[in-house]
Amino acid sequence: MLRPSLHTWLEKYLSYLRYEKNLANNSIENYQRQLTAAFSKLDIECWSTFNISDIRNILNDARKSSLSSRSIALRLSSIRGFCAYLVQQGQLTQNPASSIQAPKQAKPLPKQLNVDEMHQLLDIKEDDLLALRDKAMMELMYSCGLRLSELANLNIKSIQPDRQLRVIGKGNKERLLPIGRVALEALSVWLKIRPELASSEEPALFVSMLKNRIGTRQIAKRMKLWATRQNLEQSVNPHKLRHSFATHVLESSSDLRGVQELLGHANLSTTQVYTHLNFQHLAHVYDGAHPRAKKSK
């Protein structure tokens, strides 16, 4: 249990993430969970004495608890961010976590649905209220490559003229995305029946049976349900739809910068890991583009 003086600064940091960094609630909850677990055995009087030995002890305890390399790296990253805040606030003179290396870990590529599987998932024949809502949600997420939080936070006013969608992403950054024809048709159907669930004062684009904005957990639950109903051999989650969008657009266009803009990634390196090309596609691009690979006529 953290001493009250230590806990106060932890609460201040979480408020900083929420109100100044504009992080999503899920991200803040993850930081809180990681830092609470990290400091559960910490026995110091004030943060000014927090040092590299304390951090090494925290990481050693994590290893003894059989946490994966990925989880340990996430914990270290959370501590590093918190310490940077303490330095900024004058509670620490330097960041003791900055010199500690995260454990090496494999970087498995995210899985995606292939084009046929996406067609299978979205070929929903049911026409009840929830089925039409879910179809519109999934079509829009796949059409625009949305994050789960971005989808849940959409409002009616997010739909702009000329088939554009106004999205507020990480760090409160705004981007305009084109809406595909099929997604636009599914949206049109949903908007006609939406008043059956939502009042005229409700701004949310997608609502639940409780007549208010649908939550992220419920969206994920519904997507998993549709994977079963549509007889897919693999499970479906919102991240998988976003990754499928990125992979399919990149395979068709080979425009990494364009995909970066569509996804709202600040750094191209994120897009490179997030969206991979299969070897056959790479080979096809190479054969058609490299002067030493082209067949002589």
Side-chain angles (χ1 to χ4, degrees), residues 118-157:
M118 282 302 313
H119 285 315
Q120 184 177 338
L121 173 66
L122 299 174
D123 187 25
I124 297 174
K125 303 299 185 185
E126 299 175 38
D127 59 358
D128 62 90
L129 194 63
L130 294 186
L132 294 175
R133 180 203 64 188
D134 295 348
K135 179 177 175 63
M137 287 196 302
M138 291 190 290
E139 286 282 8
L140 192 59
M141 175 168 266
Y142 176 55
S143 175
C144 299
L146 301 176
R147 298 179 177 95
L148 174 57
S149 60
E150 292 171 347
L151 179 69
N153 291 332
L154 289 176
N155 292 324
I156 292 286
K157 292 182 178 179

Side-chain angles (χ1 to χ4, degrees), residues 14-32:
L14 296 174
S15 295
Y16 165 78
L17 295 179
R18 183 184 304 278
Y19 299 112
E20 294 193 40
K21 301 296 286 184
N22 295 310
L23 294 191
N25 289 335
N26 286 347
S27 298
I28 295 170
E29 289 172 5
N30 286 335
Y31 276 110
Q32 183 175 22

Side-chain angles (χ1 to χ4, degrees), residues 48-259:
S48 62
T49 63
F50 188 59
N51 56 44
I52 191 169
S53 296
D54 294 318
I55 299 175
R56 293 195 187 281
N57 289 335
I58 290 170
L59 299 183
N60 284 334
D61 286 340
R63 292 186 186 94
K64 291 176 184 177
S65 300
S66 300
L67 285 187
S68 66
S69 296
R70 181 180 178 84
S71 297
I72 294 172
L74 179 60
R75 186 154 300 178
L76 174 60
S77 176
S78 300
I79 294 171
R80 189 179 288 129
F82 177 55
C83 288
Y85 172 76
L86 292 178
V87 171
Q88 178 185 325
Q89 298 299 313
Q91 297 299 302
L92 281 171
T93 56
Q94 60 182 7
N95 190 333
S98 60
S99 61
I100 299 179
Q101 295 293 320
K104 291 184 179 180
Q105 53 184 307
K107 292 185 178 179
L109 290 169
K111 294 181 179 178
Q112 83 280 350
L113 299 173
N114 61 40
V115 175
D116 289 338
E117 288 172 325
M118 282 302 313
H119 285 315
Q120 184 177 338
L121 173 66
L122 299 174
D123 187 25
I124 297 174
K125 303 299 185 185
E126 299 175 38
D127 59 358
D128 62 90
L129 194 63
L130 294 186
L132 294 175
R133 180 203 64 188
D134 295 348
K135 179 177 175 63
M137 287 196 302
M138 291 190 290
E139 286 282 8
L140 192 59
M141 175 168 266
Y142 176 55
S143 175
C144 299
L146 301 176
R147 298 179 177 95
L148 174 57
S149 60
E150 292 171 347
L151 179 69
N153 291 332
L154 289 176
N155 292 324
I156 292 286
K157 292 182 178 179
S158 300
I159 303 174
Q160 304 289 299
D162 299 325
R163 297 169 54 182
Q164 289 187 321
L165 187 70
R166 179 175 175 268
V167 177
I168 306 299
K170 285 187 176 181
N172 212 29
K173 293 180 180 178
E174 178 183 315
R175 66 189 192 277
L176 281 175
L177 299 171
I179 306 174
R181 177 185 57 81
V182 179
L184 207 61
E185 291 172 357
L187 266 179
S188 178
V189 172
W190 161 242
L191 288 174
K192 288 177 182 176
I193 60 174
R194 179 182 170 278
E196 297 180 35
L197 276 183
S199 68
S200 57
E201 292 80 25
E202 174 57 58
L205 178 58
F206 296 111
V207 294
S208 70
M209 292 296 288
L210 298 176
K211 301 184 182 296
N212 52 22
R213 187 181 302 275
I214 190 169
T216 54
R217 290 185 180 180
Q218 185 65 12
I219 292 174
K221 183 178 179 181
R222 295 295 296 181
M223 289 186 183
K224 185 176 181 181
L225 173 67
W226 280 111
T228 302
R229 284 190 184 180
Q230 298 297 92
N231 298 314
L232 286 176
E233 294 183 358
Q234 60 172 304
S235 182
V236 170
N237 57 60
H239 181 74
K240 191 172 288 187
L241 261 67
R242 175 170 158 87
H243 181 61
S244 299
F245 157 85
T247 303
H248 298 165
V249 172
L250 188 56
E251 286 181 347
S252 298
S253 68
S254 302
D255 186 351
L256 195 61
R257 288 287 183 185
V259 173

